[in-house]
């Protein structure tokens, strides 16, 4: 008889708590995503002889775009029934506790699809302000977006959220803060795949970025990242009850337009063009 040893996962999401403030693993990993992103983009800007003075503003734009877009995506799409009665909690990292007082919780509810839209909007504003090619900026940023997604999914693992469907595989996790059922560690699957995507995009940037027009790498990344999201969703437990009767869940349906956009961009931008200028103004 084969012995099955599952992984019991019962990590406290909070590293420490002082009064109403708690430092969570998720918050640390979220910040690490931006630290590593800054470092890689700094190297890219230096390599391409673009002023690094405009890099810090880029990270600020992306940070705000990601946070606002991801938060609105979650609250307006996944949990609108709750947040329509708690509008203040959409913008503030607090939640009303059982005593009727506001308690610090951080932004626990965020959605990657909303974050993607937020990034596009913020980059449009950034590119206009600093007179950079929108697609040139996107091609460089998507590399670190894949790396950031790796850190975010690790944060989900520490939060015991976005859990997988039940399974009897030997590497199944029992998320003790949720239930006692062995489940796919879907967050870990997705994190590993995003890290692989980051390396693939980094290699593509170094080897072939000069062969194609601005926008090609952006399109390629959309195909990779949202295809990963689409297929991993089959192993995830439904995040909302209404999804249980659907053939595809909400995460998969929202991934399809991004994949199609990626295909369009790759087709349109796959041929090199001599007058494709990366910057509209030198700085």
């Amino acid at each position: 008889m084969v012995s099955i040893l599952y992984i019991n996962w019962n990590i406290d999401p909070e590293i420490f708590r002082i009064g109403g403030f708690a430092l969570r693993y998720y918050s640390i990993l979220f910040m690490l995503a931006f630290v590593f992103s800054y470092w890689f983009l700094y190297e890219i800007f230096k390599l391409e002889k673009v002023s690094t003075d405009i890099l810090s503003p880029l990270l600020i734009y992306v940070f705000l775009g990601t946070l606002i877009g991801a938060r609105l995506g979650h609250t307006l799409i996944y949990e609108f029934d709750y947040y329509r009665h708690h509008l203040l909690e959409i913008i503030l990292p607090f939640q009303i506790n059982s005593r009727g007082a506001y308690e610090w919780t951080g932004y626990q509810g965020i959605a990657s699809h909303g974050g993607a839209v937020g990034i596009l909007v913020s980059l449009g504003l950034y590119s206009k302000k600093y007179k950079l090619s929108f697609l040139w900026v996107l091609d460089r940023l998507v590399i670190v977006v894949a790396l950031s997604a790796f850190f975010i999914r690790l944060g989900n693992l520490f939060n015991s959220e976005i859990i997988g469907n039940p399974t009897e595989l030997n590497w199944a996790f029992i998320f003790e803060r949720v239930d006692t059922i062995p489940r796919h560690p879907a967050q870990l699957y997705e994190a590993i795949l995003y890290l692989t995507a980051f390396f693939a995009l980094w290699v593509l940037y170094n080897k072939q970025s000069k062969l194609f027009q601005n926008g090609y790498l952006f399109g390629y990344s959309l195909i990779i990242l949202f295809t990963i999201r689409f297929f991993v969703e089959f192993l995830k437990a439904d995040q909302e009850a209404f999804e249980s009767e659907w053939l595809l869940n909400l995460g998969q349906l929202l991934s399809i337009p991004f994949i199609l956009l990626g295909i369009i961009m790759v087709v349109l931008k796959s041929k090199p063009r001599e007058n494709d200028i990366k910057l509209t103004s030198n700085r």
Side-chain angles (χ1 to χ4, degrees):
M1 184 175 181
V2 178
S3 174
I4 298 178
L5 183 62
Y6 300 128
I7 299 171
N8 290 279
W9 188 260
N10 191 29
I11 300 294
D12 190 338
E14 298 179 358
I15 302 173
F16 66 82
R17 172 178 287 273
I18 301 176
F21 172 79
L23 180 64
R24 304 173 70 91
Y25 287 102
Y26 187 95
S27 300
I28 296 296
L29 289 162
F30 192 86
M31 294 309 300
L32 281 176
F34 279 89
V35 169
F36 279 97
S37 295
Y38 182 91
W39 185 82
F40 275 102
L41 287 174
Y42 185 85
E43 294 300 316
I44 289 174
F45 273 48
K46 282 202 310 180
L47 179 66
E48 302 201 34
K49 295 180 173 55
V50 179
S51 174
T52 55
D53 292 341
I54 60 176
L55 182 55
S56 293
L58 172 61
L59 268 295
I60 294 173
Y61 273 80
V62 172
F63 178 84
L64 293 175
T66 301
L67 187 60
I68 296 172
R71 184 61 174 166
L72 289 177
H74 175 83
T75 56
L76 299 181
I77 297 176
Y78 285 98
E79 294 192 54
F80 181 68
D81 286 343
Y82 172 82
Y83 283 102
R84 66 178 178 174
H85 301 297
H86 303 82
L87 295 177
L88 195 59
E89 292 181 24
I90 294 178
I91 58 175
L92 296 178
F94 300 96
Q95 194 171 54
I96 300 177
N97 59 27
S98 58
R99 300 186 301 275
Y102 277 95
E103 180 179 4
W104 175 274
T105 58
Y107 292 113
Q108 297 184 49
I110 59 177
S112 58
H113 296 90
V117 174
I119 289 173
L120 291 175
V121 173
S122 65
L123 285 186
L125 297 173
Y126 171 84
S127 300
K128 183 177 180 180
K129 178 177 177 60
Y130 291 96
K131 297 181 174 60
L132 297 173
S133 165
F134 177 62
L135 291 179
W136 181 88
V137 178
L138 272 178
D139 278 351
R140 277 72 190 162
L141 186 68
V142 291
I143 301 170
V144 296
V145 165
L147 181 62
S148 298
F150 161 74
F151 284 107
I152 296 302
R153 282 297 179 251
L154 287 184
N156 297 140
L157 180 64
F158 278 96
N159 278 348
S160 294
E161 61 189 359
I162 313 183
I163 59 177
N165 290 323
T167 182
E168 295 182 356
L169 293 171
N170 288 346
W171 58 81
F173 276 46
I174 296 177
F175 295 96
E176 295 183 9
R177 292 178 174 272
V178 179
D179 54 34
T180 59
I181 301 173
R183 296 177 177 275
H184 284 287
Q187 318 96 319
L188 195 55
Y189 295 162
E190 208 165 351
I192 293 171
L193 289 170
Y194 285 144
L195 185 60
T196 304
F198 160 71
F199 285 116
L201 290 170
W202 181 250
V203 170
L204 185 64
Y205 164 75
N206 283 285
K207 300 291 186 180
Q208 301 185 36
S209 63
K210 296 180 180 180
L211 301 180
F212 303 105
Q213 300 177 49
N214 291 337
Y216 175 82
L217 196 61
F218 167 60
Y220 192 81
S221 71
L222 288 182
I223 296 171
I224 293 178
L225 297 179
F226 286 99
T227 297
I228 289 172
R229 176 68 187 271
F230 183 89
F231 284 105
V232 174
E233 287 293 320
F234 284 114
L235 300 177
K236 291 181 184 178
D238 292 326
Q239 294 188 54
E240 299 297 330
F242 62 78
E243 295 177 301
S244 61
E245 298 181 357
W246 295 7
L247 178 62
L248 300 176
N249 65 28
L250 196 54
Q252 291 171 312
L253 293 175
L254 292 173
S255 294
I256 293 173
F258 287 99
I259 295 172
L260 293 176
L261 175 59
I263 293 172
I264 292 172
M265 291 299 297
V266 167
V267 171
L268 293 179
K269 302 296 183 178
S270 60
K271 294 182 179 180
R273 191 177 66 188
E274 292 182 0
N275 63 343
D276 188 28
I277 303 174
K278 70 176 182 181
L279 302 176
T280 57
S281 175
N282 292 324
R283 287 181 174 266

